[in-house]
Amino acid sequence: MIQIKSEEEIEGMRATCRLAAETLVMIESHVKPGVTTLDLNDICHDYIISHGAQPSPLNYRGFPKSICTSVNQQICHGIPSERVIREGDIINIDITTYLNGFHGDTSKTFHVGAPTPKGEKVRRVALSCLEAGIAVALPGTLLRVVGATIEALAKKNRCSVVREYCGHGIGREFHEEPAVLHYEDKRDQVMIRPGMIFTIEPMINLGKPAIKHMPDNWTVVTKDHSLSAQFEHTILITEAGNEVLTDLAGTKTPLKPS
Ligand code: MF3
Ligand code: CO
Ligand code: CO
């Protein structure tokens, strides 16, 4: 069942999503050559705790750390470790906070030091895929239009979309219905309605879409070792359109252009 959130739940979601967004802004200045992904984990962990929240990933289905850090060909669910990030790497940092009973989920891909041309490209395509998905995530639209839009844009840029992982409803649970696919499935009949809250989080590969799991059973990588990038926002659907809850600017997409 897809929940329609109450006003009270929406206020709870605003607060946790704001904290997740603030954590991601805070950590950006620490993303520099020479730091370890564990350093980034510990800084985010302390920040989240000091704001009265918990990091949702910690112990989630046995995940051992507080954030996900996915470097270069790592697609998602990278486990923070002693790995040092280097000039020219790209790194996705995925933050989920649990504040007063609600989860807020957001991620970004950063360049470490100066961008490389390939890093720049996959990052740019992943960001524009998220933005294009948000632009069509409007009440009265079929949810599969979000996936179709993202898939078409990735393809136009000769990139591919990971199919095994998707966006998701979010609220009192980390992962709720609906599954938000980042490609089109014509069988998906879900209609986007006001009061829904879900994430959009396309994982975009510079090469082929195929994935592989690492022996740690969490880290997902591209099978062809091509670079992968991802951006994620938590979105509230309103009568008027949508609102990005994990954006400190509070970006809104109106249903009808004003
Ligand atoms: N934050 C991820 C998502 O966007 C989920 C991470 S699950 C974890 O849905 F266990 F790896 F943290
Ligand atoms: Co998510
Ligand atoms: Co996430």
Side-chain angles (χ1 to χ4, degrees):
M1 207 202 59
I2 302 172
Q3 294 176 29
I4 299 301
K5 264 68 176 180
S6 67
E7 273 312 313
E8 196 185 327
E9 288 170 325
I10 290 170
E11 285 318 304
M13 287 301 289
R14 284 188 197 287
T16 192
C17 287
R18 189 179 315 118
L19 178 60
E22 286 167 351
T23 308
L24 206 45
V25 168
M26 178 280 300
I27 201 62
E28 179 164 10
S29 59
H30 297 274
V31 179
K32 291 184 289 210
V35 307
T36 69
T37 52
L38 197 55
D39 295 331
L40 299 172
N41 177 82
D42 294 352
I43 296 164
C44 289
H45 178 93
D46 292 349
Y47 184 89
I48 291 166
I49 296 290
S50 75
H51 286 77
Q54 302 290 320
S56 309
L58 187 59
N59 301 321
Y60 176 78
R61 300 186 180 197
F63 191 79
K65 297 290 172 193
S66 299
I67 63 172
C68 296
T69 52
S70 305
V71 181
N72 296 340
Q73 80 278 15
Q74 297 177 350
I75 295 168
C76 63
H77 303 168
I79 303 175
S81 71
E82 296 296 346
R83 177 179 182 160
V84 173
I85 54 173
R86 308 267 179 213
E87 179 93 16
D89 285 346
I90 56 171
I91 181 172
N92 174 275
I93 301 181
D94 193 334
I95 306 284
T96 314
T97 52
Y98 186 62
L99 178 65
N100 296 329
F102 297 98
H103 297 273
D105 194 4
T106 183
S107 86
K108 275 187 185 171
T109 297
F110 302 101
H111 295 292
V112 181
T116 64
K118 283 180 180 172
E120 183 98 69
K121 174 167 184 192
V122 71
R123 184 183 175 281
R124 172 180 59 77
V125 175
L127 180 56
S128 39
C129 281
L130 172 58
E131 289 170 347
I134 292 172
V136 296
L138 296 167
T141 299
L142 287 171
L143 186 60
R144 70 172 190 248
V145 172
V146 172
T149 302
I150 290 169
E151 188 177 27
L153 185 56
K155 196 170 171 189
K156 190 175 139 196
N157 285 281
R158 298 172 189 279
C159 287
S160 62
V161 175
V162 172
R163 299 175 75 90
E164 287 81 354
Y165 296 88
C166 53
H168 49 93
I170 183 166
R172 295 183 191 274
E173 302 295 330
F174 193 164
H175 295 106
E176 300 180 352
E177 284 180 46
V180 180
L181 305 183
H182 304 117
Y183 58 91
E184 185 171 36
D185 181 345
K186 291 219 163 70
R187 296 165 301 182
D188 186 352
Q189 298 299 329
V190 172
M191 179 73 80
I192 300 173
R193 296 186 192 285
M196 287 184 180
I197 298 182
F198 53 80
T199 73
I200 306 177
E201 48 181 299
M203 283 141 267
I204 302 299
N205 300 349
L206 211 46
K208 301 249 154 64
I211 69 161
K212 225 171 51 180
H213 286 92
M214 296 303 282
D216 64 21
N217 276 318
W218 276 106
T219 312
V220 183
V221 300
T222 55
K223 196 172 174 193
D224 64 5
H225 308 289
S226 65
L227 289 182
S228 186
Q230 178 182 26
F231 289 80
E232 172 175 26
H233 272 310
T234 299
I235 313 296
L236 165 68
I237 308 304
T238 64
E239 299 282 350
N242 72 42
E243 218 180 300
V244 179
L245 297 182
T246 43
D247 176 353
L248 296 179
T251 306
K252 293 181 186 176
T253 307
L255 190 48
K256 292 183 195 122
S258 46

